[in-house]
C-alpha cells in the first residue's frame, strides 16, 4: 500500500491552497439546490463549461422540479442536446424531479442516502450537492481529484472510494469543507493529466511526483 504524505506536509499544502484561494467555488452555474442537483447530474462525462452553456437558458425558465415536469422530457432534451448522453440524462432528470415532488414536497433532501436513491445520482453527485449547498465536508472524487490525490500522495488509492476515505483521513479538519474544490481546481488548471504545469505549481517543493515538467 502506498503511503500518504506526512500530516504536516499535507497541512502545509492545504494552507497554501487556502492562501491562494480562501473561498473556492464550484464552476457549475445554479440558482438553488434543485438546479445544482440537475447541473451536477448533467455534468457526468461532460465539462462544467459545456453544462453551463446548455443550462443558462434552461435554469432561467426552469428552477423547480414542478417546472421541470411541466417542461417535459422532450422539452428538456431541446435544452441539453449538446451534452453527452443527453437522452438518458433527460429521462433521469424527469424521474428524479417526479420523486422530489411526490416524496419530498419539491425539496432536495440533505441526506446522502436519499440523494443517491434518486435516478442518475451517484455518490459523487450527492457529495457535490452536500458540499456546495449545505457546506458539509463531503469529498466528491472526480478524475481530477483521483489524479491529484495519487500524484501528490495527499490521498493515494486505487479506487475512487479509497481516495475519498484517504482525503477524509489525511486532510486536517479545518480544510475539509473546501478540500475537494481546491483539489479539483489544482487538477483542472495546474496538475493536468498529460502536461502538468509543475514549473508554476505552488506545492512543487512538497510534491513527490517525479515528472517535474520543464
Amino acid at each position: 500500500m502506498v503511503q500518504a504524505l506526512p500530516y504536516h506536509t499535507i497541512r502545509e499544502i492545504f494552507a497554501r491552497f487556502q492562501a491562494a484561494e480562501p473561498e473556492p467555488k464550484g464552476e457549475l452555474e445554479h440558482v438553488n439546490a434543485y438546479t445544482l442537483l440537475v447541473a451536477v447530474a448533467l455534468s457526468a462525462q461532460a465539462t462544467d463549461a459545456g453544462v453551463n452553456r446548455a443550462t443558462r437558458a434552461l435554469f432561467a425558465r426552469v428552477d423547480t422540479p414542478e417546472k421541470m415536469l411541466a417542461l417535459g422530457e422532450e422539452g428538456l432534451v431541446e435544452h441539453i442536446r449538446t451534452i453527452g448522453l443527453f437522452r438518458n440524462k433527460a429521462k433521469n432528470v424527469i424521474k428524479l424531479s417526479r420523486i422530489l415532488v411526490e416524496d419530498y414536497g419539491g425539496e432536495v433532501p440533505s441526506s446522502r442516502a436519499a440523494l443517491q436513491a434518486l435516478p442518475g445520482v451517484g455518490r459523487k453527485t450527492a457529495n457535490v450537492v452536500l458540499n456546495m449547498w449545505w457546506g458539509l465536508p463531503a469529498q466528491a472524487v472526480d478524475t481530477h481529484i483521483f489524479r491529484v490525490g495519487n500524484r501528490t500522495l495527499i490521498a493515494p488509492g486505487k479506487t475512487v472510494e479509497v481516495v475519498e476515505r484517504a482525503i477524509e483521513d489525511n486532510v486536517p479538519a479545518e480544510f475539509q469543507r473546501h478540500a475537494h474544490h481546491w483539489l479539483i481546481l489544482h487538477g483542472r488548471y495546474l496538475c493536468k493529466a498529460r502536461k502538468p504545469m509543475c514549473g508554476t505549481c505552488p506545492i512543487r517543493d512538497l510534491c513527490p511526483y517525479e515528472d517535474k515538467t520543464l
Side-chain angles (χ1 to χ4, degrees), residues 26-201:
E27 297 183 329
L28 283 173
E29 296 173 7
H30 59 282
V31 298
N32 55 24
Y34 174 70
T35 53
L36 174 61
L37 175 64
V38 172
V40 181
L42 293 176
S43 72
Q45 300 180 49
T47 65
D48 287 0
V51 172
N52 289 339
R53 283 193 295 272
T55 58
R56 280 187 195 118
L58 173 66
F59 292 160
R61 174 182 172 187
V62 177
D63 59 1
T64 67
E66 292 87 353
K67 291 178 183 178
M68 187 67 76
L69 293 176
L71 178 67
E73 186 177 323
E74 288 307 312
L76 176 57
V77 162
E78 290 306 309
H79 282 278
I80 64 170
R81 280 186 180 279
T82 56
I83 300 175
L85 306 174
F86 65 90
R87 285 212 171 270
N88 190 53
K89 289 177 180 178
K91 289 181 187 298
N92 283 332
V93 168
I94 294 299
K95 287 179 182 176
L96 73 82
S97 298
R98 185 167 290 111
I99 292 171
L100 291 179
V101 170
E102 293 177 353
D103 296 347
Y104 297 99
E107 299 296 321
V108 176
S110 58
S111 153
R112 181 187 283 117
L115 287 168
Q116 283 189 249
L118 297 171
V121 178
R123 186 176 179 88
K124 187 188 84 170
T125 296
N127 281 348
V128 171
V129 175
L130 292 173
N131 180 269
M132 287 182 63
W133 192 256
W134 283 285
L136 300 177
Q139 307 303 333
V141 178
D142 67 354
T143 55
H144 296 302
I145 293 182
F146 188 82
R147 178 175 68 254
V148 172
N150 279 286
R151 270 187 184 168
T152 62
L153 297 186
I154 290 170
K158 292 185 177 180
T159 68
V160 166
E161 292 77 15
V162 172
V163 170
E164 181 182 331
R165 287 197 298 272
I167 294 172
E168 293 171 345
D169 291 343
N170 300 341
V171 176
E174 68 261 40
F175 301 121
Q176 283 282 331
R177 180 181 174 188
H178 294 310
H180 99 269
H181 277 132
W182 282 317
L183 292 171
I184 285 173
L185 294 173
H186 189 66
R188 184 173 290 163
Y189 297 111
L190 286 174
C191 196
K192 300 177 181 180
R194 295 185 180 179
K195 293 185 177 180
M197 300 169 67
C198 297
T200 57
C201 177

